[in-house]
Amino acid sequence: MTKHDDLPLTTNHWGTYRVETEGGQVTALHDFEEDVDPSPIGRGIIDVLDGPTRIKAPMVRKSWLEGGPGSATDRRGTDPFVEVTWEVAEKLVADELNRVRHEFGNEAIFAGSYGWASAGRFHHAQSQLRRFLNCIGGFTRSVTTYSLAAGEVILPYVLGGIREFIYDATSWRSIIENTELFVAFGGVPVKNGQIGQGGVGRHRQREAMLEARAAGVAFVNVSPLRSDVLDEVDAEWLPARPSTDAAILLALAHTLVDEGLHDRDFLDRYTVGFDRFRAYLSGESDGTAKSAEWAGAIAELPADDIRALARRMAASRTMVSVSWSLTRQDHGEQPFWAAITLAAMLGQIGLPGGGFGLGYSAVNTIGLEMPELRFKSMPQGKNPVEAFIPVARIADLLLNPGGEFDYNGGTHTYPDTQIVYWAGGNPLHNHQDLRRLLRAWRKPDTIIVHEWCWNALAKHADIVLPCTTTLEREDLTLAPRDPYVVSMAQAIDPVGAARSDFDIFGGIARQMGVAEAFTEGMDAADWQRWLYDLSRQSAAEYQVELPSLEELRERRWFKIDAPEKAHVLLEDFRSDPAAHPLKTPSGRIEIYSEAIAGFGYDDCPPHPAWLEPVEWLGKEGAAFPLHLISNQPSTKLHSHLDHGAHSRAAKIDGREPVMLHPDDAARRGIVDGNVVRVFNSRGACLCGAVIGDQVRPGVVQISTGAWFDPDASGELCKHGNPNVLTMDKGTSRLGQGPIAHSCLVEVERFEGEAPAVTAFDAPKIEMPD
């Protein structure tokens, strides 16, 4: 016991914390006693919970309020807001939703929630938004995620599923006990493992990597960033050019075949299409052998190092690990497919500590020692609208109504969007080419958002409805991939007039005559009991006994025991592929996909391949000489809590840092702490320079998440958001994922007085007459 163990608990994406309050204010978030590697990020909320960026009442953009829907959309982001009552706000939203659905149909409403807004099983913004809109006839939705869209689309063709092959990865325990060689393409960034969807009870990723190293596991980091693997595990670093991972994987496969090191028996029994893939490897089908020399020239790695790695992998119990980040590049489908194929050629899929893993330390949940469970989530109802977009095609949706797009074997049409309704997430952070998105953002008649702080999304909305944070509402941490079940206490009253998403939608539903359909006569406490009781019943079916809700509220947390046996991905399939077939057409791993072949896509062949990215360091005649890696931040999640103390402490002159290699910095006369301009033909941003050898020459690194802070021209982000630089293009006609990591830039010292950062300034707010 510690002196804080009697304090109530809250959970957010970075962990579980004991909450200390005084005088109705949160004064401290103390580390949860079970957490061996607590994240400091969550504590960043304390100083902004009731600060100048907090939205404390419903707000309406002045031009929209005076002129109606579609008024002065070019003033989004600069207009003042007018404070209104909840009664007025509810009626405005209800009337506008009714206008649009009656005049244009429900497909003209785009529900833009991305889901990362809240921890807790009930107060999940995306679920609440979709349930509400389904009560009034539905909406246009998005599919896949910015995190790994291309991977989500390719995996069903190769393995017959998605989530089970990502989140049910071979456990760290199996790796610690059995793996000899852990080869990490894109690294294993422990900073990403600070987070978990729905909340984190105990951080495992750093601890597990250190335990693996202590057990003798050797790590190899194939990445342009040395920092993508913990220094403490003494990883061998192969500093490949960005966007060349698929070429390296192919060369490893070529070496295995060339030296007779591939497992032909495994390939014959568990896969289809290897012979057609081998014809591509050898160059028989296209005249180019995918040899170590070929890949070495592309990746700027010694061919001997590639061959030596292939031999080590064949001689060791090897885990082939692939970061989610590798899907966020041009042709991002290929690294996952190539890695699975390489693992199949090694013949270790389904063996303890061997095979492949897709996203170790992408989030805390991957590799956790956790029994399989199915917890109940908030029912969303049925959406009768068939229209959808791939998640990263929102600018295309708004700019090209009626236009066609290819996706996953089909051709679809963009609807004519009149309303964007966003609750959870921030597109003006995580979308690519933000200047283009700003142009698109002017197209809809009305943009409605639920937000708790004045970030760029709120500033560029027409109607802003203030929502609560996890500290201002009661909930349950009930994540099926985290062993900690937590009773989340309401620590303080809602700040100002903020309401939970459930209460916001309940009020609008009453205005629209669908309150009973939305609430089913239950309040938030009733729904939480319903969710918990059904989840408890489901857990019992898996021989897991959860305490009653009353017991949990009293105890505050409960830990689900780890299974006795270490989990191994595809172990049952390996033991008997006939009894446990995959859900692919063949029932086996598909190295060659007849389905994809039938689509005839020139940018996604029917087998793993390397295709030249639209932008990369090897591009002949490239206009810009440096490759930008815009990876996940260590001080926040996406843009969440960028305004908090922890994130702001890491900034340089109030701006996001950019790391340059010493050689690149010296050529440009840049030293530590300089304000620099990072630019290309799409835009520019100002950053603070950090010089270090954690990046390979020719590469610069800016973490995502700086609140977008455009100047008057819209061409320069004063705060350092790298998505003003990235390209808004799909990975391929198959996956249509984002390609943020295929991006070339230049960097120069900024001369003169740098413009002030205004990202954390609230807009002008007027009171109604």
Side-chain angles (χ1 to χ4, degrees), residues 158 183 185 245-246 248-257 261-263 266-267 271 274 277 281 306 309-311 313-314 318-322 334-349 355-356 589 591 608:
V158 183
V183 183
F185 291 88
D245 307 88
I248 298 167
L249 287 158
L250 292 171
L252 293 168
H254 180 277
T255 300
L256 295 182
V257 173
L261 299 175
H262 61 303
D263 189 331
F266 184 94
L267 293 166
T271 76
F274 175 71
F277 171 66
L281 271 186
I306 296 173
L309 179 58
R311 294 166 188 149
M313 295 173 79
T318 299
M319 176 59 69
V320 181
S321 172
V322 189
Q334 300 307 318
F336 272 20
W337 201 353
I340 294 164
T341 299
L342 178 64
M345 293 173 67
L346 292 169
Q348 298 180 27
I349 293 174
F356 63 88
I589 299 168
I591 295 174

Side-chain angles (χ1 to χ4, degrees), residues 224-349:
L225 305 180
R226 185 198 304 271
S227 56
D228 270 344
V229 173
L230 284 173
D231 288 342
E232 295 92 325
V233 303
D234 302 318
E236 177 186 352
W237 183 30
L238 298 183
R241 274 177 169 172
S243 298
T244 64
D245 307 88
I248 298 167
L249 287 158
L250 292 171
L252 293 168
H254 180 277
T255 300
L256 295 182
V257 173
D258 190 52
E259 300 188 6
L261 299 175
H262 61 303
D263 189 331
R264 187 74 221 203
D265 290 341
F266 184 94
L267 293 166
D268 289 343
R269 187 178 187 199
Y270 299 101
T271 76
V272 295
F274 175 71
D275 288 340
R276 299 173 86 165
F277 171 66
R278 183 170 60 182
Y280 170 75
L281 271 186
S282 67
E284 178 184 337
S285 63
D286 67 353
T288 301
K290 311 309 176 297
S291 65
E293 284 76 14
W294 168 83
I298 291 170
E300 286 191 341
L301 291 176
D304 287 345
D305 289 356
I306 296 173
R307 272 191 293 268
L309 179 58
R311 294 166 188 149
R312 285 179 69 193
M313 295 173 79
S316 307
R317 180 60 57 86
T318 299
M319 176 59 69
V320 181
S321 172
V322 189
S323 167
W324 290 359
S325 63
L326 301 191
T327 68
R328 300 193 297 272
Q329 58 183 314
D330 205 15
H331 314 299
E333 298 82 5
Q334 300 307 318
F336 272 20
W337 201 353
I340 294 164
T341 299
L342 178 64
M345 293 173 67
L346 292 169
Q348 298 180 27
I349 293 174

Side-chain angles (χ1 to χ4, degrees), residues 107 387-390 393-398 400-406 412-417 736:
E107 72 171 17
F388 74 93
I389 64 165
R393 300 273 61 78
I394 182 173
D396 290 348
L397 164 74
L398 301 179
N400 192 25
E404 292 187 341
F405 65 95
D406 292 323
H412 309 275
T413 303
Y414 291 119
D416 188 359
T417 303
Q736 291 286 6

